[in-house]
Amino acid sequence: MSLAPVFGENVFPFGTHVYREPCLDLDGVLRDLPLLKRYGFNMIKIQEHWAADERREGEYDFSRVEQVIKRADELDLGVYLGLTMEQAPAWIWRKYPDCHFVYSDGRRHNQPTQYTIPMDGKPGPCWDHPGVRAAAARFIGELARKLGQNKNIWAWNTFQEIGFWPNTAGKLGFCYCPHTLARFREWLREKYETLEALNATWQINYGIWDEVEPPRREEPLAPFIDWRYFMDDVYLARQLAFKTKALKDNDPLQRPVFSHADTPRVGSGAEWRWARVGDFFGTSNYPKWNNGHPWDDPVESDEQALRNEIWEEMMLCTDLARCNNGRDRALWGAEFQGGPISTSLHFGRVPSPNDLRVWLLAGLACGMTGISFWNHRVERFWKEANGFGLLDPIGDSSERMEAVSRIGSTIQAHGEFFALSQPPRAQVALLVNEDSYHFFQACNGDVINHYRYNMRGWYARLLRLGIPVDFLDVEEVIAGDLAHYSAAILTMPLSLDGGYFAHLSAFVAAGGALIAEACPGRWDKYGWTTLNQLIDAGEEVFGAKHGELVMVKEPGATPRWMPAERRFGEFDPPAVLGGVGEFADLEVRASFYLQRLEPTTGEAILKQGDEVVGVTNRYGAGHGILIGTFLGFGALAYQSADGDTDRFLELVLARAGVKPERCGSLLRRRRVLHDMEAWFFINLSAEPVTETIDVTGFRVAADLLGDCLTENKETDITITVEGTNLACLLLSPMRESSPSVLPSDLSR
């Protein structure tokens, strides 16, 4: 979807949040708008609140919001307007006392004194309640008709940081109210058609549909998989859909509608369902909120911390949001950190101008087509007080605001390109499976953390190898999208559905490379073990049978992810695996599981002593590769003991025709629009890197920030990128180009 006609030609939406209730100083907000215009912003964000604007049923007061919109219009500023429907008015709770979310034990989630902070009023009322849903739709319709008369509204946001949080519902989650349980049964009827089919799948014994319920006490039960999918993927998508419909049915100018997630959940597929409801999608980016994971090697310098902010908090999160959003659609950094993180008495470091530089370039490198900071001035209330703003409470300038202004002006100079260009499709797909996510979520302990940590580690390995990846959801695999990739990776695939694996087998047979970690399909999607300890057809695809499974200790003295042994000697000692054949002399660290294999038609590529623990197998025109351990765990932990794992993985992928995107020591990411390209150079080392790069067929149209190009020749250029930093060049063709093609058709 091209958004340029809505925002104006050559416009990259570049804005900042300015207003939400409670607002202590509306006059101050209005005074600040000309200042933001001078700093080069072309858009502001307004967060609208149902509780503030319909305090009495049927009485709508949008006057405060409209003051801000109209003043913005006078200054030629666009408006991104977000709904905060979870902050429902008090009369809703009085009129519909049964509209609360309900926990599995029957307790109501009751919070009548709702504020914007914390959490924007979440979780709000249950939207399966027909009275509340109808009242919300009426309000949204009135808002769209009234505020929609203002032509400077650029986009509507139906849900800011989607989710039920915060709650204490545990793994079972919301909502056990009669309305949601009735909808759950309806959905199950559509999915299974007959009660007999549901009973057979769940291995349960219901006599009538009204008896069917989700689990209320125990998680590792077959119904949990369907229950969590319904609440996370179906319920939340339906919530977005009714809000979207109310806006589109009543907006006189039919502006685009979107929503955005907070930090994307690695390994979950729910955001694919959320994103596809609207015209585009967005994400929150607060790089200094988290820094690494407790299982990682310690972060012991500012340089290491900044590296984590670049690769994880910006690139991983943006790549994941870009992929669940879909191709050829806008992707917004809908909440982009502007000031220090503040959580009650814990006050974070103020972002430096260089922090903001690298965050912005990393977001652009991964495909952001619009950015809105949170927010223009620091927060005023309690938990988030004195945090997040580009400006302090008093004063009209700051180093961070000046830096954002400079970078924003350079982006706007190439606004059309950055608003419409996209990264080319990657060669490698990291497969995301929502049922697997819920399987691990239901397991004892915090096993979902293992699943997410391992996939995160795979991304980190591939990134530092210079291999961009796309995350691919189950529905996209079923739709045939996997055919666009050279290789696909199944991380920690212990729970697999046979029908899904049939699509992966077809991908291999057609010429693709499928890399699976240990024990693919040891359980089916509903938690039943398979007799062969591998998914049906797994032996044929991978050319090996399951031999023996052991668990291996970590190399460190104090475990990070391993459970405590039940008895001495339960786990094998730390293990290093040796490469075979062309992988000889390479050593790979084993983590968590170690699956020993009995090759049939497969060729050994990894061994532990005489035991085969990794195989590659010709299957049709492609290859199935089974690696009997979890390679993601060691990517960021015990790195000194990781051996040659990165090099091993690079060779495995090279066999599949995957070529790294590197320019010497620099990693490269690209964005493409017709015959124009942006090349982003990423230096994750601590020292400056200078490289001479072949640009045959291109000429340098711009050094985006004017600080990396040191020599510019006809066929090659020389650039220098400072340590732990990024740079960007815009390139255009040397001569008249051929007819342009859509970005999705480009494979270069």
Side-chain angles (χ1 to χ4, degrees), residues 563-628:
E565 288 184 287
R566 297 184 182 91
R567 60 174 298 281
F568 177 79
E570 184 178 25
F571 302 153
D572 275 15
V576 174
L577 315 177
V580 179
E582 70 177 280
F583 305 99
D585 301 325
L586 296 181
E587 293 185 337
V588 174
R589 168 68 55 184
S591 293
F592 203 82
Y593 272 6
L594 183 57
Q595 182 187 24
R596 293 165 183 149
L597 303 167
E598 299 175 6
T600 53
T601 57
E603 167 193 352
I605 57 174
L606 282 175
K607 284 187 173 183
Q608 183 195 29
D610 294 331
E611 299 280 358
V612 175
V613 291
V615 296
T616 181
N617 182 56
R618 185 78 175 182
Y619 181 79
H623 286 85
I625 299 109
L626 178 54
I627 299 168

Side-chain angles (χ1 to χ4, degrees), residues 249-517:
D249 285 350
N250 293 281
D251 177 8
L253 298 181
Q254 293 297 292
R255 266 73 54 114
V257 181
F258 80 112
S259 58
H260 82 268
D262 63 325
T263 302
R265 298 183 298 175
V266 176
S268 169
E271 286 162 27
W272 270 260
R273 259 60 69 195
W274 305 346
R276 307 309 166 89
V277 172
D279 296 309
F280 63 100
F281 201 54
T283 183
S284 290
N285 296 92
Y286 293 96
K288 287 195 182 297
W289 201 304
N290 303 302
N291 203 277
H293 188 283
W295 295 346
D296 291 350
D297 290 338
V299 174
E300 297 177 327
S301 69
D302 286 340
E303 178 269 324
Q304 291 176 340
L306 183 58
R307 183 186 302 142
N308 282 354
E309 292 167 13
I310 293 170
W311 82 260
E312 179 171 21
E313 301 301 328
M314 287 307 309
M315 297 186 72
L316 169 58
C317 291
T318 307
D319 273 342
L320 187 53
R322 171 180 57 82
C323 293
N324 60 51
N325 182 40
R327 298 189 64 77
D328 301 327
R329 306 206 317 165
L331 172 67
W332 280 15
E335 286 186 37
F336 203 103
Q337 183 179 347
I341 303 296
S342 176
T343 52
S344 295
L345 302 185
H346 187 169
F347 187 75
R349 176 173 292 188
V350 177
S352 70
N354 189 62
D355 291 335
L356 290 156
R357 170 207 165 93
V358 299
W359 299 346
L360 285 163
L361 288 178
L364 290 175
C366 294
M368 283 186 180
T369 64
I371 288 170
S372 178
F373 285 90
W374 190 274
N375 34 313
H376 88 292
R377 286 199 186 273
V378 296
E379 295 281 5
R380 298 283 302 277
F381 186 62
W382 210 327
K383 184 176 178 181
E384 296 183 357
N386 296 309
F388 302 97
L390 288 166
L391 292 171
D392 295 321
I394 298 173
D396 291 346
S397 67
S398 69
E399 284 189 336
R400 55 194 185 276
M401 177 63 92
E402 297 287 348
V404 163
S405 177
R406 288 193 299 272
I407 297 168
S409 67
T410 64
I411 296 172
Q412 290 302 341
H414 309 280
E416 182 180 23
F417 178 86
F418 286 113
L420 299 177
S421 63
Q422 296 209 357
R425 196 185 300 273
Q427 300 174 76
V428 177
L430 267 175
L431 300 176
V432 175
N433 189 318
E434 182 76 335
D435 289 332
S436 291
Y437 187 89
H438 292 313
F439 170 85
F440 288 112
Q441 193 177 38
C443 289
N444 295 335
D446 193 24
V447 177
I448 186 62
N449 204 19
H450 291 73
Y451 179 58
R452 297 185 64 188
Y453 186 77
N454 187 57
M455 185 177 289
R456 168 182 175 269
W458 270 90
Y459 179 90
R461 283 199 193 282
L462 293 165
L463 176 74
R464 66 194 184 208
L465 286 171
I467 298 174
V469 298
D470 288 343
F471 294 88
L472 209 65
D473 178 60
V474 169
E475 291 184 359
E476 293 172 311
V477 170
I478 293 171
D481 290 355
L482 195 51
H484 297 292
Y485 297 88
S486 300
I489 299 170
L490 270 173
T491 65
M492 211 168 173
L494 304 184
S495 170
L496 277 181
D497 174 68
Y500 171 59
F501 190 75
H503 291 279
L504 304 183
S505 301
F507 164 71
V508 179
L514 176 65
I515 302 170
E517 291 189 296

Side-chain angles (χ1 to χ4, degrees), residues 181-251:
L181 292 181
R183 292 303 301 259
F184 179 51
R185 295 184 189 107
E186 290 175 17
W187 178 74
L188 291 173
R189 280 178 182 262
E190 294 173 5
K191 179 175 181 176
Y192 290 104
E193 296 184 352
T194 68
L195 188 59
E196 291 72 20
L198 179 140
N199 280 333
T201 301
W202 286 3
Q203 291 294 296
I204 208 163
N205 304 288
Y206 292 120
I208 59 174
W209 278 103
D210 285 348
E211 295 172 346
V212 177
E213 286 220 2
R216 286 183 179 265
R217 292 178 64 85
E218 299 292 333
E219 297 91 15
L221 301 170
F224 180 89
I225 302 299
D226 283 329
W227 171 239
R228 286 314 325 157
Y229 186 92
F230 174 77
M231 288 306 302
D232 292 350
D233 295 58
V234 178
Y235 176 98
L236 285 171
R238 283 180 41 249
Q239 177 190 149
L240 299 172
F242 98 80
K243 298 175 185 176
T244 299
K245 184 177 186 302
L247 287 166
K248 287 187 173 291
D249 285 350
N250 293 281
D251 177 8

Side-chain angles (χ1 to χ4, degrees), residues 626-649:
L626 178 54
I627 299 168
T629 190
F630 302 139
L631 296 186
F633 278 88
L636 299 158
Y638 308 113
Q639 292 183 67
S640 62
D642 194 44
D644 310 302
T645 309
D646 280 1
R647 178 63 180 152
F648 170 80
L649 179 58

